[in-house]
Amino acid sequence: MLKIVEIDHLTVKYPDVKALDEVSFSVNKGDFLGIIGPNGAGKSTLFASMLGLNTKYEGSIKFFGQDIRKSKDYLKQIGYVPQKPIFEKNFPATVKDIVHMSLRDESNKNKIDEVLQQLWIHELGNRRIGELSGGQQQRVFIAKALVNDPQILILDEPVTGIDQQSIELFYSILRELNSKQKITIIWSSHDLDAVNQLANHVACLNRTLFFHGVSDEFFENDELVKQYSEASMQEHMHHH
Ligand code: ADP
C-alpha cells in the first residue's frame, strides 16, 4: 500500500484553544476517508494545514513521502472543494469561466468540457454561476477541482444547504471518482449514514483523533458510534 498522506503528531494551537492535539494518521492511495466530528472539532484547521494555508503547526505533514514545508509541488495533485460558496445572482462568470480559472495548462482546454460532462453539467456551461441551484453550483466546484487531473480530492462538508436529490447525485459522483478513476478522497461530513455507505476508512476527530481505521470497524462498534452521537448532541445543545 502506498501511503500518500502521512500526518504525524499534528498540533495546532490558537490563542484560546488547542484546535488539534497530537493527531496522527495516514491515507493510502485509493482510500476513501470520511472525517467525522462535531463543529469546532478541528476539521477545517486540519484541511487548512494540509493545504499549506496554516503553517503554524507542530508535528509533520507529508504528501507523497515529502514534508510539505519543503515543497509546494504536492498541491498540483490536490483538488479541493470548499464548503459551498455563495454567488450573487449576477456574478459575471459562466460555469465554463469558473472551471477555466483553475486550469493550469491551457493546452488541456478540452478537459473543461470533459469534466462538465462527467458531472452532468455540460448543458449549463454558458449559464452564469449565480443562476444555478446549490446542487448545480456544488458540481461546478467539483469540476473545478478535477480539471487538472488531481490524484487526491479533498472536500470540506460539501452538502450543507443542498437538496436531497442533489446530495444523492453528489454521493454517486464521489463513489464513481473513487472506484473508477481511483482518485483518493478525503471528505469531512456530518452525515454518519453517508460516511457508512461511501467511505472505506473513517477518522473520528474531536481535537484529538479518537478513532482511525476501516469504516466497518467503526460502524460495528456501537460504543464508538454512541460516543460520536453524544459528542455531536452536546455540541448541538451548546449551539441552541
Ligand atoms: P471544524 O471545522 O471542525 O468546525 P475548526 O477547525 O473550524 O473546526 O475550529 C476548531 C477550533 O479552533 C474552534 O474552537 C474554533 O473556534 C477555533 N479556531 C478556528 N480557526 C481559528 C482561528 N483562525 N483563530 C482562532 N481560533 C480558531
Side-chain angles (χ1 to χ4, degrees), residues 14 17 19 38-45 207:
Y14 293 122
V17 65
N39 280 328
K43 300 181 297 296
S44 303
T45 300
R207 305 206 173 158

Side-chain angles (χ1 to χ4, degrees), residues 2 4 29-31 64 74 76-79 145-146 148-153 177 181-185:
L2 186 59
I4 58 177
K29 191 169 169 53
D31 277 359
F64 309 103
Y74 76 104
K76 293 186 188 137
Q77 295 301 332
I78 298 181
L146 291 175
N148 299 305
D149 267 329
Q151 291 191 46
I152 306 173
L153 196 57
L177 290 171
Q181 293 195 53
K182 310 296 175 203
I183 295 178
T184 304
I185 296 181

